[in-house]
Each structure stands twice: as structure tokens, then as C-alpha cells.
Amino acid sequence: MSHQLPSDPAPTPPLGLLAQLDLPDPDSYDELRDAEGRLRPAWQRFFQWLPAQETPADFDRRLELIAQQIKVDGVTHNIHSAEGTAARPWSLELMPMLIEPSDWAAIERGVSQRARLLDTMMADVYGEQKLLAESLLPPALLYRHPGYLRPLHGVRPPGGLHLHIAAFDLARDAEGDWWVISQRTQGPSGLGYVLHNRLIISRLFPEAFREMRVQHIASSYRRLLDTVESQARLVAGGTPRVVLLTSGPYNETYFEHAYLARYLGVPLVEGGDLTVRADRVYLRTVAGLEPVHGLLRRLDDDYCDPLELRPDSTLGIPGLLQAVRAGNVVVANALGSGFLESPAVQGFLPAISRRLLGEELLLPSLPSWWCGEQAAFRAVLPTLAERVVRPAFPDPGRRRATVPGEAGVADWVRRIQGDPDAWMAQGRLMLSRTPMWRSGAATAGAAMLRVYAIADTERRWHVLPGGMTRVATRSPLSVSMQHGGSSLDTWVMTDGPVDTFSMLPQRLRVDDIATRRRPVSSRTAENLFWLGRYTERTEQAVRLARALLNMIDADGDPPPPVLDALCTLAVFNGLAAYGTPSASRAPQLFERNVLAALASGARKPAAGQPRAPVTSVAGHLGALEYAASALRDRLSPEQVNLVRRMAEEFNATFAGLDAALPTVSLAMPALDRLGLQLAAVTGAQTDRMTRDHGWRLLTVGRLIERLVGMAHTLHTLLELDALKSAAGVDLVLELFDSTLTFRSRYQRHEDLLALVDLLVLDDANPRAFAGTLRRLRTELGKLPGTASMLDALRERLPVEGAGITLDELRDLDDEALRLQLCVLARRLQDAGARLSDDVGQRYFAHAEGGDRLQRV
């Protein structure tokens, strides 16, 4: 079936191409055109506000801008497969989903009613249980569902609100009527992506967005935070602390957790960041334990408390349920709502609504038959081949939703009869088709709309005016982002005033200022500490790799001690395999080994083979990238993207070589570029981050790594007698990044004492021991803790300078000086390692001195 536009005068090329679009299924609702083939009014207005000369090439350019912005912002979605977890760029289509005011009014009424119903059901099921007593909800659907948490029966949340947010997946039938497909109540995902989609698409079509009176969405986010804070204030008795609980960087939607936490202005925490003491929840920070009064959680119920729920969970907070029972923390949403997500509950909601609300449901659910009811099973059996069979309870061992078909009915009947309570059948709905634009051509995708209902402080429900529309982009049709789905921005048009609310709240009071300074959790501090260490470690590895390749590939023959020392350092830093003969004996073999190590991070394993451990520069880059990805809520998107691009571009240099070794001429430019990018990362860390405790620990980590690395480097060069030649002097100056200063200060001198002056004693040289130790002592002194505790940390280091003075070296010859420096280098290397352990025990593990409780 092909609908042609009436003979309008000279439509613009995109309009003309969209008008020629065929629907894959004539029984689906066409979001673009009406039954006569004319553009629907909303789309007419949309195209009216496009530039008059808009062409397909212009649409393609807009698509490129979307991809570019998503890359710049680092918007990702983690895909889980048998090969592991991989982050792929978020998929966002160019064309928005347009919803007229009349359609939205029906959705808003129906969704807010359903959210109110679900919250009322929660109060009943965990309270009087009238629904069970009156047989309106089968006991098997409640007690057998793992989402019903018996330990919380009789518990009423502070403020009485069980659900703060609920999400509903909606779809249109062929007549354009909306149906509820499913509902999400534990930790509904998508709010962060909804916000980011809006920011991108509204900027691409600013005139259309403004003139079509698209409703803004910021007030919904403010409402969510206000509601949680209002209830948490009952717990705190004053200004509450609310955090967003995530399962961590491997979660499918971790980007939006970090994005949402940053937008709402709340700390992003993992279960390990929190602890329960005396039935209260505390956040582990570098300054001690600080009380937490509200949790915006993005973690499923069963993972939240390993003591009472899933014992193998490493993501939860031991003792959380006891804190909930004591009424000392607000959890949004309240634990125990998972049973409401069962599709089998849908069939019982009409009667439950009449009983609890005295109202008929305004939005229908898909026809549902729970097979645990014999009458329902007998009723659906004749048409089972055409229905969708779904598990009634979450169980990894059961198959996903399936349409049995005529050939599979007998098998499914036997399976259902073996455990009828565990299965339900549901009607099918052909999803509506909405227009999309891809690579110069119009296409259509099957669309499902997810909308969000949010409770206010008066326990009234409001629907976010928009939502996330997901579309299927390939066959078989699935809108799931895990299975190739994509997303659209959703434009809800209004006949009334457009909400101009901003997330900026009312004027701050003096008493509010202290609460706006986010605490630095111990996990965040640890990630920052290692971000600093891996940045420095990668810089040292790059500098060493460049020096090694330059020296081996040089025309002259460096002295064997220099080559032996350089090769020893290369092996220690993972640039070459242990056991590789030194370059002084087999230069070509050692060079090949180094080049192979540089390329190892880009090599994909053969089919069925596990990935080998990545070493060398790629390994350091991978660790640096992981640390940065775990700090999305603390680092700017530019910093996170720069770190990610460094790894991508460096590995891409070697990715197309298959099993072949890279050449020096290929590797050196890649190392040079990586060196420049690392300088940019260092600059961002130094000049574009707030000097809080987290930044100081990042700096401490970087300085410790520098101290340990420089000490090991100098010790190796001295021990192998590599500094007796000009080549050795040049090498140590290059590795300490001090060549220019040395040559300008000492000109033609290459004495060991001159090296000691610049690389050991000069506290103005940031690469000298004295300069590094001076900064390290300063930053340690500014960390939180008692004076005696900070003194204990600094006692690991020399009291002043580098621990040695010029006077002590006055009467030493070169050999005695070499031995003295070897002792000093080993002592400083050990001091750095011990200091690293002390910092970890004090600020990350809280292993010394106990945790200091802050006043509630």
C-alpha cells in the first residue's frame, strides 16, 4: 500500500520522499499520514518550520551532527553478550515522535491513574492485604513472585509513598488508540536518555520545537527530587542527603545514571560506598561516614541487600532492609515492587481499580490470561497459537515471550500444564509505524512509547510530558536497545502555555550552602587516585617506548649498559615479554617484541578464543579508560571522551595489521600523538577540576606513581652503570623529561653530580625527586584527617628535600656517589609503595582507626 500526497505545490525533497514511504504492514497505525494519505496536522506543521530549501543532504547532515554530539558527550549503552560487555554509542533517530494535545490528554489521565493504582496496591499488599482476602489478586502471583519481599510486610515508608516514579510502555493499535503493554516500578530506566535526546533534537529543529509549542520536561525532574527530599527530610529532621544508587559501570544504562546524578545534583554511589550502622545508612567518604537519608535507586530489589535478599550480590548494602524497617531511609522506589511488573498482573487490574479507586481503568491493557486460572486457560486455549506466551515470573531458565504458532501449540500446552501458575498468554498488537530518516532515505520503524509518572510532595501523580520512544530497526521486530532498537525524542504539543521551568530552584539560603558541596565517597576517591596513577604510568610507558625504539633504530651503537638498562625498564613496564634477550645481544628481536606488545591491545582473539591479557601501553590505556568511565559524574564529558579517544585511536593504528607486526615508522607517530593527548589529559586534571579532596587524592596518586617510577628508573640506570656515557645521560634526561633544562643550565657538562642537582635535589623541577616530594608533602597535608594521622603519612617521606643534601655528597667520587644514589632511589621507591598502601587503608578501605560517624 502506498499513500501519495495530494498535488501540493512543489513539496521540499524530504517532504516528498517521506510522502512516498510505504508501510511494512497496512494493518499498523501510520504516525505520519491519515487514512487518505495526507500528512497528519502535526507533521504538516513540523515540515512547515523547516528551511524552505531543505534537501535530503541537509537531513543527512543533521544525522551526522547527532552522531557527533553523542560521541562528544560520550553517550553509551552497554551491550551484554556471550563475548562480554561492550559499550556502544547511544542510538538516536533524527525525526521526533509527535503527539497531539488531545492524544496526550488521554495518555496523561490514564497513566496518572495507573500510577496511583499501583501505589495503592503496594500499600495494600504490604499492609491489610484486602486484595488477597477478597480474591482480587491470586496469592500465587504475589507469594511466588521473587519481587514480593516478605521481610517488608507491615512496613510503611516515611511519608507513606511507596512509588515515586513509574514507567509505562504504550503502543497504538491500528485505529490509533493507546494500550498499556507493560509497566516498570523497581528502577525505571531511560530518564537520563530522555533528557539527553531532548537536548540534541530540540537544537536541530529549534524553530519547529518553539513554534509547535512542545512542552518542556525539566519540571518533572525537579519534582522527582523534591518529592524524595521532602520524605527524606522526615528522616533527617533537617536538610537531607539524597544519593543515586547505581550498580556500577557495567550496567546497561550506566551513562544515564551518571548523567542523571549530575543533572539532579546528587552523588552517584555504588553499594560498596554505603554502609549500615545502628539501622542507619551512611556514605563512606574520605572524611569519614556521613548520613544518607534518601536513595534514588537504579538497582533491582533482589540485589539491594545480600543479608536478607540475594546472598551472592556484591552490589547491595548489607543491612539496608533493617534500615528500611526502622524508617531511617527513604528508598525510591520502595523495595518490593517487582511483583507489579509481572505481565500476569495486568489482567486483574480492572477489578482492582474498581475496588481500590472506585474507577474504571482509562487506558486498557492488552488482553491477558493467567494460566493459573483454569477458566482463563480454557478460554485462551483455542487461540493460543495466535497469542504471546510469557513467563509470569522472572526466571532465567524460561524462554522469552513467544508466539507458539500452530506447530508449537501442543508443546506449549504440555509445558503450561506442567506449571500453569508460571505462564500467561497475552494478546498481540501490531505497533504503529513512525517515520525515520537514514542515509538519504525515508524509512519507518515500529514504535513503542515509554512514559513516566512522577509523584509530587502531596502524593499526586504527574506525567512527564514526553518520554522515550523506542523503535525497531531490524527484523525480527524488537524495540529493546539490547537487541538493536533505537530511540526517538518525544514531542508533546500543548494548547496551553509552555512550561518554562528551569532546574534552578528558588534562591539559596546560607544554611543550604554546606549541603551543596558534594562529599567525596571512598570509591570515587579511589578511582580518582588510580586515575592519577594510570595517567602518570601511561606517560612514563610512552616516554620509555619512544626512547627505546629511537635508540634501537638509531644509526650509532649505544653502549651495552645503556641498552641493557633500557631493556630492563621495558620488561618491567610491560613493553616486552620477560625472558626476551636484551637489545645489546639481539636488537631486532627485542624491537619486534616491543612492537608486538604495542599492537597487542588492538588484536582481536580468534573465534572461540579468550582475549589474552593486554600489556604494554594498551594495558595502561585500558586501565585509565576504566577509571575515567567510573568517574562520569565527576569528570567533564571532554575529559572522559579524550581518554576514550586516546585508547581508540592508539589501538586503531594497529587494528588492521592482523597478525603482522607494526613498523617503527607506524608506531612512532602513534606514540607521539598519544604523548600530546596525555599532555591534554594532564592539563585538564591540573586546571579544570575543583580542588576538593578527590582532586587532591588524584594528585597524590599521580605524584606517588611519579616518585616510584622515577626511583625505579634511576636505580636501574645506576645499578647497570648506564650513566657513564653520553647516551646514558641523554636517556635519563629524556625519561625524566628534563633535557631542555639540563642543557640550558649545564651546557656541555654530563657529570653525575650535575644530574643529581637537577633530577634529585632541585625542588623547582616537577620531575625531580625533591620537586615531587615537596608537592606530595603539601597535598598530603591538605587531606582530611587529624594532624597526627597526616603526620604519620608524611613520615613515610623524607622530612625535607629529597632526603639527601649537596653537603653529604661533597667528598664522594663518582662510584661512591652512584652507590649513595642507588640506596636513595631504592628507599624512595619503597617509601612510595608504602605510602600508597597507607592512603588506601585510610581513605578507601577505612582499615585504620575505624570509621568516624558524622552527626545525623
Side-chain angles (χ1 to χ4, degrees):
M1 180 175 71
S2 178
H3 296 312
Q4 304 287 332
L5 275 179
S7 54
D8 293 339
T12 64
L15 180 54
L17 287 175
L18 284 170
Q20 305 294 327
L21 179 63
D22 291 337
L23 283 180
D25 190 326
D27 294 327
S28 299
Y29 182 84
D30 187 346
E31 299 284 352
L32 178 67
R33 297 159 300 198
D34 61 21
E36 286 72 40
R38 295 173 301 199
L39 285 179
R40 298 191 185 277
W43 283 105
Q44 290 178 12
R45 298 197 301 276
F46 178 83
F47 287 116
Q48 172 189 346
W49 292 107
L50 292 184
Q53 302 303 318
E54 190 84 3
T55 66
D58 293 322
F59 266 38
D60 288 341
R61 180 182 56 80
R62 294 177 195 263
L63 277 177
E64 293 173 0
L65 291 174
I66 291 176
Q68 179 182 356
Q69 192 63 51
I70 286 176
K71 186 174 182 179
V72 167
D73 293 343
V75 190
T76 57
H77 186 258
N78 291 334
I79 302 297
H80 302 299
S81 64
E83 289 74 31
T85 301
R88 72 172 176 87
W90 178 249
S91 181
L92 173 62
E93 302 298 325
L94 175 63
M95 312 294 285
M97 176 77 165
L98 303 183
I99 300 181
E100 294 277 17
S102 57
D103 280 335
W104 184 251
I107 291 173
E108 193 171 28
R109 288 193 300 269
V111 165
S112 60
Q113 180 198 47
R114 280 188 173 249
R116 182 161 48 97
L117 174 62
L118 296 184
D119 184 62
T120 308
M121 286 180 66
M122 281 280 290
D124 175 77
V125 164
Y126 285 97
E128 297 181 53
Q129 296 191 333
K130 293 182 292 187
L131 297 179
L132 297 179
E134 298 175 17
S135 300
L136 293 172
L137 182 67
L141 280 184
L142 184 68
Y143 292 129
R144 186 171 171 182
H145 199 291
Y148 176 70
L149 304 184
R150 291 173 174 80
L152 294 181
H153 184 262
V155 176
R156 185 174 184 271
L161 189 63
H162 288 81
L163 302 181
H164 301 75
I165 178 172
F168 299 87
D169 291 326
L170 310 179
R172 287 192 201 256
D173 62 16
E175 286 72 41
D177 296 323
W178 292 96
W179 294 72
V180 177
I181 307 299
S182 61
Q183 53 204 27
R184 296 288 180 267
T185 55
Q186 292 192 72
S189 65
L191 274 179
Y193 292 117
V194 167
L195 181 62
H196 197 270
N197 287 357
R198 171 59 54 87
L199 292 175
I200 291 180
I201 301 302
S202 63
R203 291 170 182 170
L204 289 178
F205 301 107
E207 295 83 3
F209 184 81
R210 181 180 62 254
E211 299 299 334
M212 293 176 69
R213 304 180 65 78
V214 179
Q215 192 60 277
H216 296 184
I217 60 177
S219 59
S220 296
Y221 294 83
R222 184 73 238 175
R223 180 177 294 115
L224 174 61
L225 186 59
D226 284 347
T227 303
V228 177
E229 286 185 338
S230 173
Q231 291 191 299
R233 191 169 285 107
L234 300 176
V235 173
T239 302
R241 171 172 286 115
V242 176
V243 299
L244 194 152
L245 176 63
T246 175
S247 56
Y250 292 115
N251 184 275
E252 298 173 4
T253 58
Y254 179 71
F255 165 82
E256 78 152 346
H257 299 181
Y259 189 79
L260 198 56
R262 185 191 292 265
Y263 184 70
L264 295 177
V266 299
L268 180 68
V269 304
E270 297 180 21
D273 296 328
L274 303 172
T275 185
V276 174
R277 305 290 171 87
D279 296 343
R280 292 184 180 274
V281 179
Y282 291 89
L283 175 64
R284 302 178 192 269
T285 78
V286 295
L289 298 184
E290 299 190 5
V292 170
H293 312 100
L295 295 176
L296 273 167
R297 69 180 177 99
R298 292 301 313 275
L299 185 64
D300 286 348
D301 289 350
D302 52 343
Y303 288 94
C304 283
D305 187 346
L307 288 184
E308 298 192 53
L309 299 175
R310 184 167 175 161
D312 62 341
S313 171
T314 60
L315 306 175
I317 310 155
L320 178 61
L321 260 65
Q322 182 55 33
V324 169
R325 282 193 292 265
N328 291 331
V329 65
V330 172
V331 182
N333 287 332
L335 297 170
S337 67
F339 74 95
L340 292 171
E341 297 181 353
S342 170
V345 171
Q346 297 280 351
F348 299 92
L349 292 182
I352 292 174
S353 178
R354 288 191 289 269
R355 173 64 179 86
L356 295 183
L357 304 183
E359 302 170 2
E360 296 291 336
L361 283 181
L362 300 175
L363 276 179
S365 303
L366 288 181
S368 302
W369 297 266
W370 178 52
C371 298
E373 283 189 325
Q374 288 299 314
F377 182 48
R378 288 194 298 269
V380 77
L381 189 57
T383 59
L384 189 63
E386 305 166 5
R387 306 300 179 186
V388 178
V389 178
R390 300 180 182 274
F393 312 114
D395 187 338
R398 293 196 177 93
R399 297 172 62 183
R400 296 173 61 85
T402 306
V403 179
E406 294 293 345
V409 167
D411 177 62
W412 272 103
V413 168
R414 286 193 297 271
R415 186 176 303 179
I416 292 172
Q417 288 176 335
D419 189 3
D421 289 356
W423 299 99
M424 57 89 59
Q426 197 172 47
R428 298 176 65 188
L429 180 68
M430 299 300 295
L431 302 180
S432 66
R433 262 49 175 188
T434 190
M436 300 188 297
W437 187 271
R438 293 194 157 197
S439 302
T443 184
M448 183 179 293
L449 171 63
R450 174 168 291 187
V451 296
Y452 302 85
I454 298 170
D456 65 17
T457 56
E458 303 298 323
R459 300 180 63 181
R460 296 174 303 220
W461 287 88
H462 307 261
V463 183
L464 183 148
M468 184 167 66
T469 301
R470 294 173 294 162
V471 289
T473 60
R474 63 191 184 194
S475 184
L477 296 180
S478 173
V479 299
S480 168
M481 305 301 288
Q482 283 286 314
H483 298 91
S486 189
S487 68
L488 280 68
D489 188 18
T490 305
W491 289 11
V492 173
M493 290 158 285
T494 179
D495 292 330
V498 173
D499 184 4
T500 58
F501 177 84
S502 166
M503 271 297 288
L504 295 174
Q506 66 273 13
R507 179 184 174 88
L508 282 173
R509 298 169 300 175
V510 172
D511 293 341
D512 295 328
I513 296 297
T515 65
R516 299 293 168 174
R517 292 176 180 159
R518 288 191 297 170
V520 180
S521 72
S522 297
R523 176 189 56 84
T524 296
E526 186 172 14
N527 283 324
L528 287 165
F529 178 80
W530 283 100
L531 181 72
R533 292 200 67 168
Y534 282 124
T535 303
E536 180 69 25
R537 188 174 299 180
T538 308
E539 278 192 359
Q540 293 180 14
V542 169
R543 198 174 292 117
L544 181 61
R546 291 168 58 188
L548 181 60
L549 293 177
N550 275 329
M551 187 165 290
I552 294 177
D553 212 41
D555 293 335
D557 294 323
V562 176
L563 281 177
D564 289 343
L566 192 52
C567 293
T568 300
L569 291 172
V571 170
F572 181 82
N573 286 276
L575 296 176
Y578 280 96
T580 305
S582 172
S584 63
R585 289 185 290 157
Q588 298 307 315
L589 176 61
F590 199 90
E591 181 182 273
R592 287 169 58 85
N593 203 287
V594 171
L595 291 171
L598 288 176
S600 64
R603 296 277 166 78
K604 292 184 178 180
Q609 296 297 317
R611 180 178 287 277
V614 178
T615 58
S616 187
V617 174
H620 301 325
L621 284 172
L624 180 59
E625 184 179 9
Y626 177 82
S629 68
L631 292 164
R632 282 182 176 271
D633 63 319
R634 302 284 305 194
L635 304 180
S636 68
E638 292 82 4
Q639 284 197 60
V640 176
N641 288 333
L642 180 55
V643 171
R644 175 179 53 80
R645 285 202 307 273
M646 285 194 312
E648 289 178 352
E649 292 175 6
F650 185 79
N651 290 332
T653 303
F654 311 106
L657 298 176
D658 297 326
L661 285 179
T663 61
V664 174
S665 61
L666 179 67
M668 287 300 290
L671 290 169
D672 290 342
R673 176 172 176 78
L674 182 55
L676 290 174
Q677 291 173 318
L678 283 165
V681 170
T682 300
Q685 293 174 0
T686 303
D687 197 47
R688 301 190 65 185
M689 294 181 66
T690 302
R691 265 57 171 170
D692 61 3
H693 295 321
W695 178 86
R696 298 202 182 282
L697 282 163
L698 182 153
T699 305
V700 166
R702 186 181 181 100
L703 293 171
I704 288 176
E705 187 67 33
R706 181 176 300 173
L707 178 66
V708 171
M710 291 190 314
H712 178 265
T713 297
L714 185 61
H715 183 272
T716 301
L717 293 170
L718 290 167
E719 190 175 48
L720 297 179
D721 254 352
L723 298 182
K724 290 184 177 180
S725 65
V729 171
D730 288 341
L731 174 61
V732 72
L733 291 173
E734 182 177 356
L735 296 180
F736 276 62
D737 196 21
S738 298
T739 302
L740 183 61
T741 304
F742 185 85
R743 295 306 178 195
S744 65
R745 181 180 298 182
Y746 292 103
Q747 298 175 359
R748 290 167 295 181
H749 287 280
E750 292 179 346
D751 308 78
L752 184 55
L753 191 59
L755 292 175
V756 172
D757 178 45
L758 180 63
L759 305 183
V760 177
L761 303 176
D762 189 351
D763 65 359
N765 180 6
R767 295 286 172 177
F769 289 148
T772 300
L773 289 165
R774 177 180 57 80
R775 286 196 60 204
L776 192 49
R777 285 188 290 263
T778 299
E779 298 303 338
L780 288 171
K782 295 180 180 179
L783 290 175
T786 63
S788 60
M789 188 274 295
L790 296 179
D791 287 342
L793 291 178
R794 285 180 293 198
E795 284 174 2
R796 291 290 188 190
L797 307 175
V799 176
E800 60 181 357
I804 193 171
T805 66
L806 273 175
D807 283 341
E808 295 176 65
L809 309 178
R810 185 177 301 278
D811 299 322
L812 300 182
D813 59 20
D814 281 355
E815 179 58 20
L817 180 56
R818 184 183 71 84
L819 294 175
Q820 183 86 338
L821 291 176
C822 279
V823 172
L824 175 67
R826 177 62 71 189
R827 188 165 66 241
L828 292 179
Q829 186 178 353
D830 291 344
R834 292 175 183 273
L835 178 60
S836 178
D837 291 341
D838 291 347
V839 169
Q841 290 176 359
R842 169 60 187 84
Y843 294 107
F844 312 146
H846 295 274
E848 293 185 356
D851 291 320
R852 301 182 308 284
L853 298 183
Q854 302 296 311
R855 185 176 61 84
V856 178

